[in-house]
Amino acid sequence: MQNELSKQIISSFAEIAHEKGIERDMLLSILEDVFRTMIRKKYETDDSFEVILNADRGEIQILHVQEVVPEEELTDEVAEITLEDAKKVDPDAELYDELAQEIQITDFGRRAVMMARQQLAQRIREIEKDNIYDDYTDRVGEIILGDVYQVRHNKDILVNHNGVELLMPKKEQIYKDRYRKGDTIRAVVIGVHMKNGNPTVIISRTSELFLERLFENEIPEVFDGIIDLVKIARSPGDRSKVAVLSHDERVDPVGACVGMKGIRIHAIVRELQNENIDVINYTPDKHEFIKRALQPAEVLKVELSEDQSQANVLVPADEVSKAIGKGGVNIRLASKLTEAEIDVYREVEEEDDIDINEFEVDFGEEVIEMLHEIGCDTARAVLDLNEDELVSRTDGKIDEELAERIMSIIAYEFEDES
């Protein structure tokens, strides 16, 4: 009965430990701790006991080692045994010998054995949690491939990766992504947090780190360190700008990243739901870097503040929309990439135009500020748009009625001049 029970305990938990990646020595140490706890609960101490584990044979042996003493010297019934009682176990026992008796696991009682099983299972779970935390902490910045097994009501996605549950919150998903249970998902590990003793592994597809790792996977020169990704700015699912620098003058960093006929960059674009990626040659010259960052717009002139944190950029009148981009995405990413707040101005003939600030009395400071934000710094810049464009570019902050009034007043000024 003893051997059968011990084999059941060892084999069942050895299998679990193997599945959870727990080393054999660690399992044996846990088993010994659990049995010593059982001993302490029954005898209040485990000093006089030896726990011998044989994982290969699936055996657990618990020995109670006592010193044989005369009856009148007996002071500790756990550590000592009288000669009379010792001879009942071993007729050859003599005074001051050490007598070892094997204790059956069943002697501890069914309840104690059941509690030991529970304690052992709990210890294995705790080690598994620690292993997950350590493993995925080391994997931060690494791309993983997993399977979606649950999409929550709040759109958070739970992903199975080698039996471990990973979390991709809604904010870490590209807004164009659509996943169902069973779909394969690729993302980057961005962090591991302990909450109520449980590790939560966070993965992301919107992180700039994800784009960086995709470049490393698809472009050998980046992986090998020949090309550096100096700076990345992303608007996930819409547009990204990547500043690159080559450490080998024979290697064109932009050409290497784009690939022949765009084959390399297209693989990344597809993974990111057709996110447009501008690959830009990095330069420490801030003026030139800002010009490159605003592509595809043509830039005529860049004026930087003394601390280079602000830039006034002049572009041809028909390039303003390109410089700003849909919803302001191009200018936003260029500002982030170059670490400078960029304001775009159009090229105009001063005698044939009126500064938009001249209309502050008519429209108010808030409206003038909104017009500046969409690149309308002069009256003709506003007239180059129609009323619908005024509404859409300001995300409806300027409504149709106000747009009509703005157009009417500005148009009247030019009619009056003529």
Side-chain angles (χ1 to χ4, degrees):
M1 181 70 178
Q2 164 85 351
N3 285 343
E4 184 180 342
L5 183 58
S6 65
K7 284 179 180 178
Q8 285 178 2
I9 293 173
I10 287 184
S11 64
S12 63
F13 285 103
E15 186 176 341
I16 293 171
H18 179 71
E19 289 175 0
K20 306 298 183 184
I22 298 173
E23 294 179 358
R24 171 186 168 132
D25 290 345
M26 176 66 75
L27 175 63
L28 295 178
S29 175
I30 295 170
L31 280 165
E32 182 175 349
D33 286 347
V34 168
F35 283 111
R36 286 195 174 277
T37 300
M38 287 174 61
I39 293 168
R40 286 194 294 271
K41 283 185 178 179
K42 183 172 182 178
Y43 296 97
E44 296 185 352
T45 178
D46 64 343
D47 292 343
S48 300
F49 296 84
E50 291 183 12
V51 179
I52 303 168
L53 301 168
N54 188 325
D56 294 330
R57 297 173 61 182
E59 292 179 356
I60 303 169
Q61 191 176 31
I62 301 174
L63 298 179
H64 188 180
V65 182
Q66 297 170 292
E67 184 182 10
V68 180
V69 297
E71 187 172 353
E72 62 273 15
E73 292 182 17
L74 183 68
T75 58
D76 185 344
E77 293 186 355
V78 176
E80 299 168 340
I81 187 171
T82 65
L83 180 60
E84 182 183 352
D85 288 339
K87 284 188 175 294
K88 293 176 184 178
V89 178
D90 180 2
D92 297 328
E94 296 181 4
L95 282 174
Y96 306 111
D97 282 352
E98 282 193 341
L99 180 70
Q101 300 181 68
E102 184 172 356
I103 298 177
Q104 303 297 314
I105 294 176
T106 51
D107 292 346
F108 290 96
R110 183 172 173 273
R111 181 177 176 81
V113 173
M114 187 169 66
M115 288 180 65
R117 285 178 179 271
Q118 292 173 351
Q119 186 182 1
L120 187 52
Q122 176 64 27
R123 291 285 298 276
I124 287 176
R125 281 196 296 271
E126 289 172 0
I127 291 173
E128 180 192 10
K129 291 175 184 178
D130 290 341
N131 286 348
I132 290 172
Y133 182 86
D134 293 341
D135 182 22
Y136 283 90
T137 297
D138 290 340
R139 289 185 178 213
V140 169
E142 181 181 318
I143 286 182
I144 58 92
L145 201 63
D147 299 318
V148 175
Y149 76 87
Q150 185 182 350
V151 180
R152 292 175 171 171
H153 294 301
N154 63 357
K155 304 302 182 183
D156 288 354
I157 295 176
L158 297 180
V159 176
N160 175 37
H161 179 249
N162 298 333
V164 177
E165 177 183 293
L166 314 182
L167 173 66
M168 185 162 69
K170 186 173 184 294
K171 68 177 182 178
E172 301 298 339
Q173 301 166 31
I174 297 173
Y175 72 93
K176 297 176 183 177
D177 282 339
R178 297 291 182 271
Y179 288 107
R180 292 183 296 181
K181 185 175 181 180
D183 287 349
T184 299
I185 193 168
R186 184 183 291 183
V188 68
V189 179
I190 59 170
V192 187
H193 312 294
M194 292 296 287
K195 186 176 182 181
N196 299 325
N198 296 309
T200 301
V201 182
I202 308 297
I203 58 176
S204 172
R205 284 174 54 79
T206 61
S207 168
E208 288 162 2
L209 190 57
F210 185 46
L211 179 56
E212 182 178 341
R213 292 295 176 265
L214 290 175
F215 264 75
E216 291 174 358
N217 287 352
E218 297 294 335
I219 302 159
E221 292 86 349
V222 175
F223 182 82
D224 293 337
I226 297 171
I227 295 174
D228 271 350
L229 307 182
V230 181
K231 186 81 174 174
I232 296 175
R234 278 190 79 189
S235 178
D238 291 327
R239 196 178 202 100
S240 293
K241 290 183 182 288
V242 182
V244 295
L245 176 68
S246 175
H247 295 293
D248 187 336
E249 60 183 15
R250 296 168 299 177
V251 177
D252 169 23
V254 174
C257 290
V258 173
M260 188 175 294
K261 296 183 179 179
I263 189 169
R264 288 178 171 180
I265 203 72
H266 284 163
I268 301 173
V269 168
R270 283 194 300 271
E271 178 63 43
L272 300 179
Q273 299 289 3
N274 294 321
E275 184 175 311
N276 291 320
I277 301 174
D278 297 331
V279 183
I280 300 159
N281 255 319
Y282 173 76
T283 172
D285 182 338
K286 194 72 170 269
H287 290 81
E288 183 60 30
F289 191 32
I290 289 172
K291 284 184 179 181
R292 295 176 185 179
L294 281 169
Q295 67 175 21
E298 176 192 350
V299 175
L300 300 174
K301 184 179 179 184
V302 176
E303 292 181 350
L304 279 168
S305 62
E306 190 173 341
D307 61 0
Q308 298 195 334
S309 64
Q310 290 184 311
N312 293 333
V313 176
L314 185 67
V315 300
D318 58 353
E319 294 282 309
V320 172
S321 59
K322 287 184 185 178
I324 294 172
K326 184 179 179 181
V329 67
N330 199 58
I331 193 171
R332 248 191 345 265
L333 293 178
S335 293
K336 186 175 181 180
L337 195 73
T338 60
E339 298 180 351
E341 186 178 333
I342 300 173
D343 291 319
V344 171
Y345 296 87
R346 70 181 60 233
E347 184 185 35
V348 293
E349 295 293 333
E350 291 185 10
E351 65 275 10
D352 191 33
D353 212 340
I354 305 170
D355 191 306
I356 199 65
N357 292 320
E358 298 293 326
F359 294 90
E360 186 173 335
V361 175
D362 300 281
F363 308 140
E365 184 179 348
E366 186 177 350
V367 171
I368 295 298
E369 183 62 32
M370 283 190 281
L371 292 174
H372 276 301
E373 287 176 1
I374 63 171
C376 294
D377 304 307
T378 67
R380 290 205 179 276
V382 176
L383 293 180
D384 284 344
L385 307 175
N386 57 43
E387 293 167 12
D388 289 340
E389 287 177 313
L390 267 183
V391 174
S392 64
R393 288 200 180 187
T394 59
D395 295 326
K397 293 175 185 175
I398 293 178
D399 58 24
E400 292 179 5
E401 184 179 347
L402 179 55
E404 185 180 351
R405 177 168 168 264
I406 290 171
M407 289 295 193
S408 176
I409 290 174
I410 292 178
Y412 177 78
E413 284 294 329
F414 284 97
E415 288 172 9
D416 190 52
E417 284 185 0
S418 60

